[in-house]
Amino acid sequence: AQSVAQPEDQVNVAEGNPLTVKCTYSVSGNPYLFWYVQYPNRGLQFLLKYITGDNLVKGSYGFEAEFNKSQTSFHLKKPSALVSDSALYFCAVRDISGRYGGSQGNLIFGKGTKLSVKP
Amino acid sequence: EAQVTQNPRYLITVTGKKLTVTCSQNMNHEYMSWYRQDPGLGLRQIYYSMNVEVTDKGDVPEGYKVSRKEKRNFPLILESPSPNQTSLYFCASRADRVYNEQFFGPGTRLTVL
């Protein structure tokens, strides 16, 4: 079964420091990986995705993620954190094993990591 | 503006009183889905729809119904709500390619007393 894990419930970072939010996955076949962010009282917003190609994926708001096949990880990173980056971050993997075949593509989400950036 | 809309945004109701949460998207997306978000549990899928008249259960479908009579709409129906359905609900849609990202609605916070 395909799954995704976010090992940290919360990450605390000082403004201006680099940040990393961790994500590991388990899939059969090629992974389709996504990061979403949820600001307070808002819906989820897409940040970036890995489908194929370069292991370093760049996304919105200066975020990037590094795909590591050998470690089955897809960690979210940002070189310099902002207070406004404080939010809940979700990693997700596309489930391509469903009854409708590869096009089903339900997202399986991690439990989320709360990022807190202090001034 | 491309968006997914949900109504109502907030709802307080009582046990057993049927309710419907509407979801509509203006992007002509084939795929739509409902999730509930609970503290410590992340997002769990309730139901999804691959296209008009094609729906299927997600991970936590008990107590919920859906319909997909039109491509743009995907209402979530609670026939007899119970307190354990108090949660934050999100609707989402995407175009029918496995690598496309999903677009989420703003959420509906439901409280069942």
Side-chain angles (χ1 to χ4, degrees):
Chain A
Q2 293 172 115
S3 64
V4 62
Q6 295 180 241
E8 303 155 316
D9 291 335
Q10 181 155 346
V11 170
N12 298 312
V13 178
E15 188 174 32
N17 283 0
L19 71 86
T20 298
V21 182
K22 296 180 180 177
C23 173
T24 59
Y25 65 90
S26 174
V27 300
S28 54
N30 294 324
Y32 298 126
L33 297 158
F34 299 78
W35 275 102
Y36 286 83
V37 60
Q38 184 181 25
Y39 297 104
N41 300 314
R42 302 285 295 277
L44 277 74
Q45 297 178 34
F46 169 74
L47 275 180
L48 50 80
K49 63 184 177 184
Y50 174 81
I51 304 301
T52 187
D54 289 342
N55 290 340
L56 187 64
V57 179
K58 294 190 183 298
S60 306
Y61 312 122
F63 283 93
E64 57 190 28
E66 186 171 10
F67 171 68
N68 187 316
K69 189 172 184 178
S70 63
Q71 296 185 6
T72 61
S73 66
F74 189 54
H75 300 333
L76 182 70
K77 300 182 179 184
K78 188 173 183 181
S80 179
L82 300 172
V83 172
S84 57
D85 292 330
S86 298
L88 189 58
Y89 290 81
F90 289 97
C91 182
V93 65
R94 182 79 79 208
D95 178 5
I96 60 172
S97 61
R99 76 186 253 189
Y100 297 109
S103 65
Q104 177 195 32
N106 288 327
L107 279 180
I108 299 170
F109 284 89
K111 288 183 167 43
T113 298
K114 182 178 180 180
L115 174 66
S116 178
V117 182
K118 299 294 186 187
Chain B
E1 180 189 356
Q3 61 182 348
V4 179
T5 57
Q6 294 178 228
N7 283 293
R9 293 289 312 279
Y10 303 91
L11 179 61
I12 300 174
T13 189
V14 295
T15 299
K17 186 176 181 181
K18 181 180 178 180
L19 65 92
T20 299
V21 184
T22 63
C23 172
S24 183
Q25 50 94 4
N26 62 1
M27 296 167 279
N28 201 36
H29 286 166
E30 293 86 0
Y31 178 98
M32 297 186 74
S33 180
W34 276 102
Y35 299 87
R36 60 177 290 173
Q37 183 180 14
D38 301 290
L41 297 177
L43 275 83
R44 294 178 292 168
Q45 190 178 47
I46 302 170
Y47 269 94
Y48 64 95
S49 170
M50 298 296 293
N51 213 323
V52 175
E53 302 293 0
V54 181
T55 64
D56 208 348
K57 297 177 180 179
D59 297 321
V60 288
E62 294 78 20
Y64 304 94
K65 287 176 56 178
V66 293
S67 69
R68 188 90 183 273
K69 293 182 170 51
E70 305 166 282
K71 198 172 187 179
R72 64 182 293 127
N73 296 325
F74 190 44
L76 180 69
I77 304 156
L78 285 73
E79 294 270 5
S80 183
S82 62
N84 65 11
Q85 293 178 298
T86 293
S87 187
L88 180 58
Y89 292 86
F90 289 102
C91 181
S93 73
R94 67 167 169 83
D96 189 21
R97 289 292 183 271
V98 69
Y99 45 78
N100 283 340
E101 61 268 27
Q102 286 186 177
F103 292 80
F104 283 81
T108 295
R109 186 166 293 280
L110 172 66
T111 301
V112 183
L113 302 175

